[in-house]
Amino acid sequence: MSRLVVVSNRVAPIDEGKQAAGGLAVAVLAALKKTGGIWFGWSGTVVEEESQSEPRRTDVGRLTYATLDLSRRDFEEYYNGFANQTLWPLFHYRLGLIEVSRRTREGYKRVNGYFAEKLVPLLRPDDMVWVHDYHLIPFGEELRQRGCNQRMGFFLHTPFPAPEVLVALPNHREVIRELCAYDLVGFHTQVDLRCFADYIRQELNGEVEDRGPEGGLLIHAFGRTLLARAFPISIDTDTLVSLAETAVRSRHSERLKESLVGRRLIIGVDRLDYSKGLPQRFQAFEQLLVAYPEHCNRVSFLQVAPPSREDVPEYIAIKRELSELSGRINGRFAEFDWVPIRYLNKSFGRRVLAGFYRTAHVGLVTPLRDGMNLVAKEYVACQDPDDPGVLVLSTFAGAARELDSALIVNPFDIEAVADALQRALTMALPERKERHAAMMRTLRSHDIGWWRESYVDALTRAPYG
Ligand SMILES: O=P(O)(O)OC[C@H]1O[C@H](O[C@H]2O[C@H](CO)[C@@H](O)[C@H](O)[C@H]2O)[C@H](O)[C@@H](O)[C@@H]1O
Ligand SMILES: O=c1ccn([C@@H]2O[C@H](COP(=O)(O)OP(=O)(O)O)[C@@H](O)[C@H]2O)c(=O)[nH]1
């Protein structure tokens, strides 16, 4: 089997004892352990001087981590700039938030070129290169320009927008040309795939050949042929199920239950990102208390929201907005023995979260747009099958394509989300069990192992031209 070389902006903790948190980290580590290989990306360190150093290499068994520092300028232009102030809002349909600047676009290209330059000497002819996410779209083309002919795949973890939205980016054609330098381009959902195919047809007059529901689309554009397909990312379902069974008896979960003194719990867990719909979610909870006052002093809402991308102005603004909103709502409804919203700007480990999910009667996942949303899947997997909680899920999360037995809501419709919360809090056990069982069937047949293997298998079959 060919060696796998994974390239992503963030590389999971190198310390083996430390648990890799997200689905991406879990999947990539498992894939790399199987094939052996390299995980290449940013070290997470920003240095003051202009850096052109060599990658820092750490070998763990058959796996090599190779990481590079970013200079302050590179970090500003590539990560905070083009990746998170242009592509991120654009891909999440937030045109009003995009910043268009040649300086950051050039910085983004420069860092992709720098990363490619440093990876080339580490590559072997038979390697398969798997590049992740919007930070690194030009990376494959940068490798090809340096004479690399290896099989190369790309996976986009965010939504892919409709062509009408994408064309707001002045250099949209260049970005799509860069995507077409790969042999395989993966998306989370059929909706993202369709948007990509629409762009190829409408904007480029390219040809799209349908290979059937699981076969994806063959794309002919820019003189190349590539496969584009949906591979919905997932979770390590079996591991989470057993983790939740024990975690619910942990000290953290016991303390949470004691603090509730019999009240019911609604939980939300999200990076503090404007794409996650947190202000609307807080207002929906407020509306629940207004429309269904019987829940006052009977229900608590725990929102875990670790700060994210804290140098970007929109993230500073959303943090301030949520502090004010939670303060206002708590001031309006709190009693001397009850605070309606427990709003926490800190992160928790996987085990603690598993226990919290199982303790909560409702999982509230209402992004305005989200590539997948692993929290939705984790919440379901962590439920007690004999007494499961209810997932309230935004129709604009990729996860809603698969978890259609959740209560699906429009996150912009605050009154409808409040009604869905009321329905979740009053749902009878047989309906809860039926909905949970249906979602678990999906999570078992399409877990993180399925995602990894189906992607790697499709990459192994490249090239498609
Ligand atoms: O690296 P950060 O800037 O701290 O951001 C964290 C990650 O956020 C995004 O996650 C996405 O990937 C998830 C897994 O596929 C998906 O479920 C979710 O919908 C996406 O938002 C981002 O795409 C990652 O690159 C970041 O590392
Ligand atoms: O305090 C926290 C908050 C989140 N997460 C994890 O971070 C991931 C978030 O992934 P998701 O797809 O929901 O959203 P993203 O942040 O990638 O946009 C999930 O695996 C969460 O369990 C975590 O480990 N601790």
Side-chain angles (χ1 to χ4, degrees), residues 21-22 269 271 276 304 306 346-348 353 357 373-375 378:
V269 176
R271 269 182 311 103
K276 303 290 182 182
V304 174
K346 61 188 278 193
S347 68
F348 290 93
L353 282 182
Y357 290 142
N373 198 296
L374 293 172
V375 165
E378 290 166 359

Side-chain angles (χ1 to χ4, degrees), residues 376-426:
K377 294 187 170 186
E378 290 166 359
Y379 176 77
V380 172
C382 289
Q383 296 310 297
D384 174 357
D386 295 325
D387 186 15
V390 179
L391 176 65
V392 175
L393 178 60
S394 162
T395 187
F396 302 120
R401 303 300 111 215
E402 297 165 274
L403 302 181
D404 52 4
S405 294
L407 293 183
I408 303 293
V409 293
N410 173 354
F412 296 97
D413 189 345
I414 286 160
E415 288 164 315
V417 176
D419 289 347
L421 283 174
Q422 163 69 0
R423 193 169 161 206
L425 288 164
T426 54

Side-chain angles (χ1 to χ4, degrees), residues 185-226:
V185 175
F187 301 99
H188 281 311
T189 69
Q190 295 293 339
V191 178
D192 303 312
L193 179 62
R194 196 187 61 225
C195 289
F196 180 61
D198 286 349
Y199 181 96
I200 298 288
R201 286 195 206 93
Q202 292 170 25
E203 298 293 323
L204 303 176
N205 264 325
E207 198 191 322
V208 177
E209 269 179 73
D210 196 339
R211 303 194 342 151
E214 288 285 289
L217 305 172
L218 270 188
I219 306 286
H220 305 277
F222 297 106
R224 300 195 77 253
T225 298
L226 56 140

Side-chain angles (χ1 to χ4, degrees), residues 19-24 26 88 92 133 157-158 188 233-235 240 268-273 275-276 304-306 308-309 344 346-351 353-354 357 365 369-378:
Q19 188 75 55
L24 169 64
V26 172
W88 179 270
H92 288 82
D133 235 352
H157 289 264
T158 67
H188 281 311
I233 199 170
S234 195
I235 54 169
L240 266 177
V269 176
D270 308 77
R271 269 182 311 103
L272 215 174
D273 194 302
S275 65
K276 303 290 182 182
V304 174
S308 178
R309 306 173 191 167
L344 279 65
K346 61 188 278 193
S347 68
F348 290 93
R350 225 153 71 104
R351 192 182 152 72
L353 282 182
Y357 290 142
V365 182
R369 283 279 161 186
D370 217 333
M372 176 52 67
N373 198 296
L374 293 172
V375 165
K377 294 187 170 186
E378 290 166 359

Side-chain angles (χ1 to χ4, degrees), residues 49-289:
E49 65 273 20
E50 287 296 311
S51 72
Q52 278 293 327
S53 58
E54 293 310 308
R56 198 169 304 119
R57 291 179 60 154
T58 311
D59 296 314
V60 182
R62 297 164 63 214
L63 206 166
T64 300
Y65 292 94
T67 58
L68 286 163
D69 298 341
L70 284 178
S71 70
R72 173 72 47 198
R73 177 164 79 113
D74 287 348
F75 177 66
E76 284 304 329
E77 294 178 0
Y78 150 82
Y79 178 79
N80 284 337
F82 196 74
N84 284 321
Q85 289 188 82
T86 307
L87 292 180
W88 179 270
L90 179 79
F91 285 6
H92 288 82
Y93 288 75
R94 297 295 292 270
L95 288 182
L97 300 184
I98 65 169
E99 191 194 280
V100 171
S101 132
R102 289 183 188 157
R103 182 181 60 86
T104 61
R105 166 68 186 165
E106 278 156 22
Y108 174 78
K109 288 276 283 181
R110 183 179 67 247
V111 170
N112 271 268
Y114 162 55
F115 275 22
E117 187 76 37
K118 298 298 174 185
L119 180 62
V120 172
L122 308 182
L123 286 180
R124 296 180 192 157
D126 192 37
D127 281 344
M128 289 191 298
V129 183
W130 186 5
V131 180
H132 291 266
D133 235 352
Y134 60 100
H135 316 86
L136 295 166
I137 293 172
F139 191 83
E141 193 181 77
E142 294 286 346
L143 284 181
R144 299 239 186 263
Q145 284 167 358
R146 288 167 174 78
C148 299
N149 296 314
Q150 283 86 350
R151 287 163 290 181
M152 289 180 205
F154 177 84
F155 188 86
L156 184 68
H157 289 264
T158 67
F160 187 88
E164 292 74 14
V165 172
L166 186 57
V167 295
L169 186 70
N171 58 319
H172 55 90
R173 199 183 159 91
E174 188 188 359
V175 170
I176 301 303
R177 188 199 66 223
E178 289 161 352
L179 267 182
C180 290
Y182 293 96
D183 299 301
L184 173 67
V185 175
F187 301 99
H188 281 311
T189 69
Q190 295 293 339
V191 178
D192 303 312
L193 179 62
R194 196 187 61 225
C195 289
F196 180 61
D198 286 349
Y199 181 96
I200 298 288
R201 286 195 206 93
Q202 292 170 25
E203 298 293 323
L204 303 176
N205 264 325
E207 198 191 322
V208 177
E209 269 179 73
D210 196 339
R211 303 194 342 151
E214 288 285 289
L217 305 172
L218 270 188
I219 306 286
H220 305 277
F222 297 106
R224 300 195 77 253
T225 298
L226 56 140
L227 182 71
R229 221 192 104 176
F231 301 90
I233 199 170
S234 195
I235 54 169
D236 187 353
T237 308
D238 291 340
T239 303
L240 266 177
V241 167
S242 35
L243 193 66
E245 280 163 7
T246 56
V248 75
R249 291 188 294 275
S250 70
R251 189 67 203 118
H252 272 92
S253 293
E254 287 301 336
R255 277 175 56 196
L256 176 59
K257 273 179 267 176
E258 278 162 24
S259 75
L260 290 169
V261 280
R263 293 187 189 95
R264 300 220 277 150
L265 181 67
I266 299 171
I267 192 167
V269 176
D270 308 77
R271 269 182 311 103
L272 215 174
D273 194 302
Y274 54 78
S275 65
K276 303 290 182 182
L278 295 173
Q280 292 84 347
R281 189 183 305 174
F282 282 18
Q283 286 164 30
F285 180 67
E286 177 180 31
Q287 176 61 21
L288 173 82
L289 301 179

